[in-house]
Amino acid sequence: MSAYAFDARYYRALAALLQYPDAALVAALPEIAAALHAGSPLHEKVAPLLGHLRDGELIELQQEYVGTFDRNPSHSLHLFEHIHGESRDRGQAMVDLMQEYQRHGLKMEGDDLPDYVPLFLEFLSLLDETQSANLLGEAVHVLAHVGRKLAQQGSPYAGVFAALELLSSVAPAELDVQPARDMDEALETFGPGADGAEPLLGSAAGGVQPINFYPQRPRKTV
């Protein structure tokens, strides 16, 4: 089991730290830090990023964010990018994830793809402890993969992904997939990718399909 009891604020705080930096995010840094409990191992993982965002020039932070996440596919903040790339399989995986959102009475608003990490973390914050743990356990393999890539580049954003590993009771496995590259179908189905705007969830209803963030291995439960 994870050493951390469920607290929705953890997911919301980590989701906020992965957003495109703007003045509102910088102003909220003290609140974000408080939600992650100063002095805790969770807070220590993101402390370098908190300091970096607090002390950096906003325009430079924004340029760094775009260079880190938008221009480097290995750091993509879209979960299925690291499994399916831009193949047709990714489209079905995103449909399944959207239906999972709908099954919990939620709908997407805005133009983010459903596998956008901040949106996914916001979704986890709305679930109960068991549901959030199960879905995080599915996604942690991909999240850890991104975190390792960021750490290799010395990015302070690696700390967010290290914090998510702490929140999961599932040990992340190495990804052994080579994703394809063809984004047209995903864009036609779901609209343009994330541009830094805050993801929003609203009320809805719908069916459900199983979600598998790591198709090479059996689904794990917590």
Side-chain angles (χ1 to χ4, degrees):
M1 295 293 292
S2 169
Y4 287 87
F6 175 77
D7 189 328
R9 293 175 300 173
Y10 297 156
Y11 293 116
R12 292 174 188 149
L14 296 174
L17 289 175
L18 290 178
Q19 294 280 14
Y20 182 79
D22 58 15
L25 174 60
V26 173
L29 290 175
E31 182 180 357
I32 293 170
L36 296 172
H37 304 305
S40 72
L42 198 64
H43 180 274
E44 289 175 1
K45 294 293 186 184
V46 301
L49 178 58
L50 290 168
H52 183 67
L53 294 173
R54 182 189 65 238
D55 300 333
E57 294 290 334
L58 186 57
I59 186 64
E60 294 177 0
L61 293 173
Q62 292 171 339
Q63 291 172 343
E64 176 190 46
Y65 182 95
V66 171
T68 298
F69 295 115
D70 296 343
R71 295 179 180 167
N72 191 331
S74 68
H75 302 158
S76 174
L77 289 178
H78 293 95
L79 291 165
F80 296 128
E81 169 78 7
H82 303 283
I83 303 171
H84 303 298
E86 292 148 12
S87 70
R88 291 180 178 274
D89 289 340
R90 183 182 175 190
Q92 184 58 54
M94 288 195 289
V95 168
D96 295 342
L97 182 55
M98 187 179 294
Q99 289 178 339
E100 181 74 3
Y101 294 164
Q102 292 172 341
R103 186 171 75 89
H104 291 278
L106 305 170
K107 67 178 180 180
M108 291 179 56
E109 299 175 358
D111 58 9
D112 290 314
L113 297 175
D115 62 343
Y116 181 50
V117 173
L119 177 62
F120 176 71
L121 296 180
E122 183 181 344
F123 173 59
L124 294 186
S125 78
L126 301 174
L127 303 180
D128 63 31
E129 181 173 5
T130 299
Q131 293 169 332
S132 64
N134 285 341
L135 283 175
L136 179 60
E138 286 283 357
V140 73
H141 313 289
V142 180
L143 296 168
H145 172 78
V146 177
R148 286 191 293 269
K149 295 290 187 181
L150 289 167
Q152 289 169 4
Q153 298 298 316
S155 172
Y157 282 99
V160 177
F161 297 87
L164 288 168
E165 287 190 56
L166 287 181
L167 291 178
S168 178
S169 61
V170 176
E174 294 282 346
L175 294 188
D176 54 5
V177 294
Q178 296 295 324
R181 305 291 176 198
D182 181 2
M183 193 62 173
D184 290 344
E185 182 180 18
L187 290 177
E188 289 174 3
T189 304
F190 296 102
D195 61 358
E198 181 180 0
L200 299 174
L201 293 171
S203 297
V208 60
Q209 295 290 331
I211 300 172
N212 195 337
F213 291 99
Y214 197 55
Q216 282 66 41
R217 301 177 190 273
R219 184 179 181 91
K220 297 179 183 291
T221 58
V222 178

